[in-house]
Each structure stands twice: as C-alpha cells, then as structure tokens.
Amino acid sequence: MLTSHPNLTPWHKTKIPHTKISNAKSENNPSVQNAGKIKRLVLGPDGRTKLNISPDRDFYALPRFVTHVDDQFISTLTNLYRERLSPGSEVLDLMSSWVSHLPKEVGFKRVVGHGLNAQELAKNPSLDYFFVKDLNKDQRLELESCSLDAVVCTVSVQYLQQPEKVFGEVFRVLKPGGVFIVSFSNRMFYEKAVAAWREGSPYSRVQLVMQYFQCIEGFTQPEIVRKLPAPGGTQEDRSPFGWILRLLGLFSGSDPFYAVIAYKNFKPIYE
C-alpha cells in the first residue's frame, strides 16, 4: 500500500528552516566555493558513457513504485542505518525514490530527499522536503555547507557520470564528523549505468566507490560492509520455479549487499 504524506511539499516551494537555498553560481558564494577538493579524477571519458544517452529526466519521467532490491537487502540496509545514523540527525537521501529504508523508530530531525521523479518523492513518507535535480547535468547541491549529519545513497551510485564532483558536494554539505553511506547490489538499469560500472565485477565496483571517496580530500578511509547470499541460496532460490526463472534470465537469486562508508574529517566516537 502506498502511503501519502499530506504535509510533504517540493522543497523549492517551501521556506526551509535552518537551511539556506543558494541559486547563485558566483565564485564568491561560499556554498559553492567550499566543495570538497578533488585530488584526482577516477573515471576517464569512456568510463562515464552510457548506452542510453537520452536525458535522465526523460528516462525517469514515469514513476516506478517498486523496490529495486529484495527484502533481505532492505533489512540489512535498515539495520546499517540504525547503527550509523543517530536520533536527531539531519539526513539527505540522495538519488531517492518513494522509499528511503530508514528505521521507522528512529526520530530524525529532518530528512530531505533528492531524486529525478517528483511523484515518487512525494509518496515517500520519510521525507520532510524534497528537490528534483539531474546530477549528471548539474552537480551543485542547493544546501548550506556543513548543514547535514548524514547523506545516504541507495542503489543509485552507478548512474553518476560526474561522481567526483557529486562526492565533493556531499563533503561540503556534511558537518565535520558527518557520514556518507553508499549502498548497492548487482542490479541496475543497464543502459543507464556508466561504462565503468556496467563492465565491472562486484569487486571492481566496490573498489570504484572507494576511489570516489578517496579522490576527495578530507574523507576518512572508506569502510566496506558486505553481506553475500549463502552459497546454496535460499529455499526459494533452490525451488524448481526459481530454477526456471534463472534459466530465463529473470531471477538471479538473493541480492548481495555492499555498502561503502566514510566520514568527513573524522569518525565520531560515542560512549
């Protein structure tokens, strides 16, 4: 069942307390000027290419009210958020949709959503505000520097064509000690994933996200969290119906879970 959120409004139409929206592109604007320093580029021109070169806004024009990973992945992700996100935090759900997988019992001060489909974001019960922006066209986040405790990005990092600039912007908007959690599996819209991701292996994709963090001056050494399916698969995976689906290429078993995590400047220690 879809849950509507009657108080949810697009961010650009709402006066937001504690957060300044900056539309200025001037080099004198500190919100733009203080982006994380990019030490090196991770991707070459070929690695940034997509098979489907149509505008991403067109590709995501119709809402998709589905989950793109299985229940086990979602449970693992929610537990990770429960461990790493503190009550009272201000969170940005980057490249979000109609669900955020945040633990319902944790009281966050504010959750801001970003994505490409306003209909999906408007249905997300976790969000207080949202904004729509194509990060492959403009990487600038209209958020005040050092204004967020956490940024999360779920099963979407594979679509970034300028990941270095986006990670630099995430560094800028995080408070010192703020955390950035990037999670992903083996699923993707193949034609919209960048070549470096499409052509990679699970190992190389983890390394790629680590390099995105490492190319920004100031992030802590990335941590890796993995949870892989059991070698024999679940009982459902081993069923005759599951075997037929795999034979047809429609089912690949349980989703592996990967997350890469880093903090701005330092990792906080809580007693």
Side-chain angles (χ1 to χ4, degrees):
M1 177 181 293
L2 300 181
T3 305
S4 63
H5 199 298
N7 297 322
L8 189 69
T9 52
W11 198 9
H12 67 278
K13 294 183 180 179
T14 306
K15 183 179 179 181
I16 304 171
H18 310 300
T19 303
K20 297 178 181 177
I21 301 177
S22 168
N23 293 317
K25 298 183 179 180
S26 168
E27 293 181 358
N28 295 323
N29 187 320
S31 296
V32 177
Q33 203 171 29
N34 296 333
K37 180 181 178 182
I38 299 173
K39 297 185 290 185
R40 60 183 176 82
L41 295 180
V42 177
L43 300 182
D46 292 342
R48 303 178 196 273
T49 60
K50 298 187 177 188
L51 295 176
N52 182 341
I53 61 173
S54 65
D56 289 345
R57 289 289 294 270
D58 293 346
F59 184 80
Y60 295 101
L62 295 177
R64 295 176 173 89
F65 295 114
V66 298
T67 53
H68 298 285
V69 281
D70 63 18
D71 291 342
Q72 183 174 330
F73 182 103
I74 293 170
S75 176
T76 301
L77 180 62
T78 300
N79 284 332
L80 179 63
Y81 289 161
R82 191 174 286 117
E83 294 171 3
R84 300 295 181 118
L85 305 181
S86 302
S89 295
E90 297 190 68
V91 181
L92 169 63
D93 188 359
L94 195 68
M95 305 176 78
S96 185
S97 64
W98 67 291
V99 286
S100 289
H101 310 306
L102 295 167
K104 295 179 180 179
E105 78 279 4
V106 177
F108 297 106
K109 182 177 181 180
R110 182 167 55 103
V111 180
V112 176
H114 154 267
L116 277 175
N117 188 283
Q119 289 176 270
E120 289 186 22
L121 295 170
K123 289 289 186 181
N124 189 329
S126 298
L127 304 181
D128 296 299
Y129 308 98
F130 69 84
F131 64 101
V132 175
K133 175 186 279 278
D134 183 351
L135 292 179
N136 288 329
K137 297 293 185 183
D138 180 4
Q139 294 77 47
R140 187 169 46 87
L141 298 175
E142 295 173 344
L143 287 157
E144 186 177 287
S145 297
C146 302
S147 61
L148 298 170
D149 300 289
V151 177
V152 298
C153 181
T154 306
V155 295
S156 297
V157 68
Q158 59 266 32
Y159 307 118
L160 290 175
Q161 291 180 285
Q162 301 293 332
E164 303 94 341
K165 293 181 180 179
V166 173
F167 275 59
E169 273 290 280
V170 169
F171 183 89
R172 178 184 66 78
V173 302
L174 282 172
K175 300 174 183 177
V179 65
F180 186 18
I181 302 174
V182 179
S183 59
F184 51 94
S185 189
N186 56 0
R187 299 201 203 185
M188 70 187 92
F189 292 119
Y190 190 81
E191 69 273 31
K192 277 297 183 180
V194 297
W197 193 276
R198 272 194 331 268
E199 298 166 3
S201 64
Y203 174 81
S204 71
R205 290 166 185 162
V206 171
Q207 295 302 308
L208 196 63
V209 178
M210 288 187 66
Q211 289 181 64
Y212 293 163
F213 278 109
Q214 291 169 339
C215 80
I216 303 300
E217 188 174 290
F219 272 123
T220 61
Q221 180 62 23
E223 306 172 46
I224 301 170
V225 177
R226 291 187 183 91
K227 187 172 182 180
L228 305 181
T234 65
Q235 184 173 352
E236 181 181 351
D237 298 342
R238 297 191 297 269
S239 69
F241 184 62
W243 181 86
I244 293 171
L245 289 176
R246 284 195 297 275
L247 185 65
L248 297 174
L250 300 176
F251 181 65
S252 59
S254 301
D255 294 331
F257 177 90
Y258 304 97
V260 184
I261 307 166
Y263 295 79
K264 179 175 179 175
N265 302 136
F266 61 89
K267 180 179 179 179
I269 299 176
Y270 298 101
E271 296 292 337

